[in-house]
Amino acid sequence: MATPTFLAMYQQLIANPSVSALDESLNMSNRPVIELLAHWCESLGFTVEITELQSAPGKFNLLAKRGTGEGGLMLAGHTDTVPFDDSRWNFDPFQLKQHDNRLYGLGSIDMKGFFAFVLDAIKTLDEQGAKQTEPLLILATADEETTMAGAQQIARHPDLKPARCIIGEPTDMTPVYTHKGHMSSAIRILGRSGHSSDPDRGLNAIEVMHLVITKLLQLKEQLKNKYSLSDFAIPYPTLNLGHIHGGDNANRICGCCELHIDLRPLPGLSIKELQILLLEAIAPVNAQYPNSVEVIDLHDPIPAFSGSTDSALVKLAEQVSNSKAVAVNYCTEAPFIQQLGCETIVMGPGSIEQAHQPDEFLAIEKVAPAQQQISYLINELCFS
C-alpha cells in the first residue's frame, strides 16, 4: 500500500471516526486510524508496533521506527477526537471539506491532520534522496481527549529512548516549551433527606455545599496570590466551578449535592500539593459535618509540563518558526512523553482556537508554510 498524497491522507484520517468520550454511548475505537497509519508507515520502511491499552481495551497506540539505536526524533500525536454536536456543524465532520480556503473536518487540527504533514514530509525527503542518519519515530496515541491513557502507557515503554520529541498539537507552528496541568474533581456532599417542613430532621446538602463553595473561592484567591509565573498569560493557577447539581424537589431536604471543579496547576506546583491544598480548604466543613464531604478525581490528574527555552530543540524550533517559544494554559501529553527523557516541545499546524469547536478547520494558507517547517525540522534532526 503506497503512501497517498497529502490531501488523500488527510481525507482518509478524517473519514475514520475516532471519538473518545467518557460516555460509552459516544466512545469509539481508534483502531481504523491506527491501521491506516501502520500501512502508510510500513510503506515508508518503518517497523510498526501496535499495542492495545491495558486500561482501555479496544484502544491502541502505534509506535513506528525507522533506523537503529537510541536517540533520534519522535513525532507524536493523538489519534482520537472529541465528540461533536452534529446540529452545530455546517459540514459532515467525517468528510474533509474544502471551502472558503479552509479544510474542514473533525480532527483537521486536533490533531489527526498532523500525521499527514509528517508522513508527507518524510515521503518527500525520501524522494529527494535525503539520507537518514538518526532514528526517526512516529508515535500515535489513544484517548488523549479523555484519560491520556495512551501517553501514560507509552511513558512506561521499556525500550523507547528518543533524544527529542515534537508533539503536533495545534499551536500555529509556534513552539510551546511549558504548559499548565489539569485536575478535575467532584466535590460530593452527602446529607440526609427529609421533609422540608422539618429542617432539623435532615441535613441539607445544598446548604453544606454553600459552605464548601465559600472555602473554594478562598482557595481560588489563595492560589492567585501565592503562586505566579510570568511566562504565562494567566500567571497563576486557576480554579473553576464548572458544574453543580443536587436535590430533586422544592419540598424535600436535599440529600446529595455534587460540584465539579477544574484546577490548572503551574509548573512547580505538583498535583499532590494541589490535592492537599484542596483537602485542607474543605477540612473545616468536614469537621463541622463529619464524613459529609467527599473529593473524587474525575480523571487521572495531568501534571504541568516544564521545559526550558535554552534547549537545543526549542532554539531550532524558534529559528524555523521565526517566533519565540511560549507558555500556554491548556495541557497536552507532553509531561508523560517527557518522562522518556527526551527534549520535548509542542508545535503543530492549526490554531488552538479551532480545537473542540464546531466546523473545526485548517486554513489552507497555512498548509505550505507548515509543510516546509515540519520538513525542515525532520531534515535537520534526522537527515544529512
Side-chain angles (χ1 to χ4, degrees):
M1 179 179 178
T3 310
T5 64
F6 171 76
L7 271 181
M9 281 190 283
Y10 232 107
Q11 289 168 340
Q12 292 180 56
L13 289 166
I14 300 303
N16 283 274
S18 53
V19 170
S20 67
L22 297 176
D23 181 345
E24 281 304 315
S25 67
L26 302 174
N27 199 28
M28 302 176 181
S29 174
N30 68 328
R31 184 160 198 157
V33 176
I34 289 291
E35 290 178 345
L36 263 182
L37 292 173
H39 287 310
W40 296 339
C41 287
E42 287 170 345
S43 73
L44 292 171
F46 283 79
T47 300
V48 173
E49 170 188 307
I50 296 175
T51 309
E52 189 168 17
L53 299 195
Q54 296 168 355
S55 61
K59 301 297 185 81
F60 299 86
N61 283 344
L62 173 145
L63 180 62
K65 183 176 182 180
R66 200 171 78 174
T68 59
E70 296 179 354
L73 172 66
M74 184 163 74
L75 298 143
H78 61 84
T79 57
D80 59 320
T81 71
V82 292
F84 64 98
D85 182 347
D86 194 49
S87 67
R88 298 179 65 198
W89 277 72
N90 292 303
F91 307 97
D92 183 342
F94 302 116
Q95 181 177 339
L96 188 70
K97 176 69 173 179
Q98 186 170 330
H99 180 73
D100 287 342
N101 292 315
R102 296 172 173 178
L103 293 174
Y104 289 93
L106 182 61
S108 57
I109 53 99
D110 187 22
M111 61 167 291
K112 291 191 287 187
F114 176 65
F115 295 108
F117 279 92
V118 167
L119 291 166
D120 187 66
I122 295 168
K123 176 185 176 183
T124 300
L125 286 167
D126 288 346
E127 290 171 348
Q128 292 172 350
K131 181 181 177 184
Q132 184 178 328
T133 56
E134 295 289 334
L136 186 55
L137 301 102
I138 296 172
L139 171 65
T141 61
D143 278 13
E144 187 270 352
E145 298 290 6
T146 50
T147 63
M148 295 210 180
Q152 293 188 62
Q153 183 165 308
I154 208 71
R156 300 188 294 269
H157 196 293
D159 303 313
L160 182 56
K161 300 186 185 302
R164 302 172 185 88
C165 179
I166 299 171
I167 301 172
E169 291 276 8
T171 69
D172 266 336
M173 294 305 291
T174 298
V176 169
Y177 72 94
T178 186
H179 64 61
K180 293 181 181 180
H182 185 213
M183 180 175 142
S184 294
S185 300
I187 314 292
R188 183 176 297 160
I189 310 297
L190 295 176
R192 292 189 307 277
S193 187
H195 198 280
S196 62
S197 64
D198 193 351
D200 289 341
R201 296 192 66 180
L203 176 62
N204 194 309
I206 292 176
E207 294 181 11
V208 178
M209 183 63 83
H210 173 73
L211 301 176
V212 168
I213 288 175
T214 299
K215 296 296 183 183
L216 290 175
L217 292 178
Q218 291 171 356
L219 174 61
K220 180 178 180 178
E221 288 303 304
Q222 177 188 343
L223 292 172
K224 185 175 181 179
N225 296 328
K226 185 176 179 181
Y227 302 93
S228 181
L229 278 179
S230 60
D231 306 52
F232 290 86
I234 300 169
Y236 50 85
T238 56
L239 188 160
N240 181 61
L241 312 181
H243 172 68
I244 190 168
H245 60 276
D248 55 13
N249 208 349
N251 66 358
R252 194 193 313 275
I253 297 169
C254 175
C256 183
C257 184
E258 187 166 300
L259 169 69
H260 294 181
I261 65 172
D262 169 291
L263 289 139
R264 303 272 172 164
L266 292 169
L269 177 57
S270 70
I271 293 294
K272 185 175 182 180
E273 184 179 356
L274 192 55
Q275 288 172 328
I276 290 171
L277 290 171
L278 177 58
L279 292 174
E280 287 177 346
I282 64 174
V285 182
N286 236 345
Q288 185 177 354
Y289 301 100
N291 302 316
S292 65
V293 186
E294 185 178 8
V295 180
I296 305 159
D297 285 339
L298 291 172
H299 59 74
D300 289 340
I302 301 157
F305 162 54
S306 183
S308 169
T309 54
D310 294 327
S311 79
L313 181 58
V314 168
K315 293 297 185 186
L316 177 62
E318 288 180 329
Q319 174 193 327
V320 171
S321 63
N322 197 30
S323 57
K324 298 293 288 184
V326 298
V328 295
N329 297 309
Y330 55 85
C331 64
T332 74
E333 296 173 318
F336 302 112
I337 302 298
Q338 193 180 41
Q339 291 174 24
L340 297 170
C342 48
E343 287 183 39
T344 304
I345 62 169
V346 183
M347 181 179 180
S351 168
I352 192 65
E353 298 298 324
Q354 296 303 319
H356 302 191
Q357 298 298 314
D359 293 339
E360 178 184 341
F361 70 85
L362 172 66
I364 291 177
E365 67 191 32
K366 296 184 177 181
V367 170
Q371 286 176 319
Q372 292 166 5
Q373 291 165 354
I374 290 169
S375 180
Y376 185 89
L377 286 166
I378 296 172
N379 187 55
E380 283 291 302
L381 295 169
C382 288
F383 288 77
S384 60

